[in-house]
Amino acid sequence: MSSEEILINVSPAETRVVIIEHGLVQECHIERESKKGKVGNIYQGKVVRVLPGMQAAFIDIGLNKTVFLHSSDIYNPDQEVAQAQVQTQESELVSTPTPIIPMPSIEKLLTVGQLICVQVFKDEMGTKGARVTTKLSLPSRYLVYLPFEEKINIALKITDPLERERLKKILGDQGGKGFIIRTAAEGVEEAVLIAEKKYIETLWQEVALDIKSAKVGSLIYEDCSLMLKSIRDFANTETRSIKIDSLEGFKKLQKFSEKFVPMLFSKIELHIENRPLFELYHAESEIQKALNKKVHLKSGGYLIIDQTEALTTIDINTGGFVGTHNLEETAFKTNVEAATQIARQLRLRNIGGIIVIDFIDMEEEEHKNEVMAELEKSMNLSGGKYKIGSFSPLGLVELTRKRVRESLKQQMCDDCPVCNGTGFVKSIDTICLEIYRELIKAHSDFSASGYLILCHESIANKMLKQDHVLLTSLEQILNCPIQFQIEQRYQPEQYHVVLK
């Protein structure tokens, strides 16, 4: 995954970062001052509720919502030692049965009112609060420090055995314990890694001291801003440029880069042209397109992406693409193109959780295998943890993608005030029939000399003009007049029946 260009747009209320690869916007990150993400932050919390049935607890860390802590995310020294012994046996090929390590029940680990230090690893999404862990970690450019761990682990994307050994030896010779060596560390000089190791260990010492004196709900450690993460996490040796449109931000990036990532210092550029940075690279229009349900394919086909709280569904259609040979070939070519675009859209829109893809039906197994291979390849290039299933008997493909923060749609949009997020509204016919039923019910419950309907203009027009015969008939049944008053502020679904 190569970040060819990184664009950073800074305003007083918002910072946006766009990653461009192969000339296309592939990723968009947003951080708003009014709603900053909490991932990576460490808080002093208090247990407010223990749930044995879920093996979890709710923790108060001073936010609007309590956060969720599962028992598997609680650091337990005994558990870690036992697990390490099992891993040692496996690595040494010890021919003894692997012992089952029971997970202690949540009641033995936590009690209501107990103080506990936690770190957010998944932001709150929709109605769900953030998820936290007590297995604390501090990330830097090349390393992640795990103060409670003993082992040195290396990112799987570093595949060269000699390089893996070199990196592990550098930290091992320095007495390093509890580190993950990140992909960005590949090829980095020894002195740079040693300096970063010392820095992050010193930072942990400061955090550890703050933990001892922190009060409930206090923020102990705050992860760096999105602007600085663009260098720490997104940029790499293949990045050609990092463009930012803020002079103050430009200086901060240079200072951060000079201290932690000197190799990127010369790639940081200040955008000073009159034309906005995101407009120049067509990023603004791509972000707007990423909010649409419909995604057009070059062939003439299209995707329909439906996001719900439970899962995301993606439907592929041939649209205007009719092919040149037969239906099977048309379906195959559309599906292959869709597989590539789906991976890009999931990354751009930051869609995670369960995703169900309805590919166009194909008969040939070879075609199905090629579509799955293209989807696997594209998902791998797009980065992020994922799992892909095979074609189901109904022709559906299920996949899961790790979800850490809200999707682009959740960050930028609110539910429609008219349809309340359902994506549809009642038809005029349905609303008029509801009003008729309410009039009949009101007449059976009350004795009124007439009725006044407060409603939208479209409802009044339908009942007075198109349904005038039905309305007249109803007046005769109720033996009283029915009048209408148009309310300009009402939506079609809003109405009130007033007794006279």
Side-chain angles (χ1 to χ4, degrees), residues 476-490:
Q476 292 174 352
I477 294 171
L478 301 180
N479 194 28
C480 62
I482 300 172
Q483 297 176 316
F484 292 83
Q485 179 177 313
I486 294 173
E487 296 291 334
Q488 299 295 338
R489 295 184 180 182
Y490 276 23

Side-chain angles (χ1 to χ4, degrees), residues 254-267:
Q254 282 192 317
K255 186 177 180 181
F256 184 86
S257 175
E258 194 171 27
K259 184 175 182 181
F260 298 107
V261 204
M263 68 177 193
L264 295 175
F265 185 86
S266 61
K267 298 183 179 183

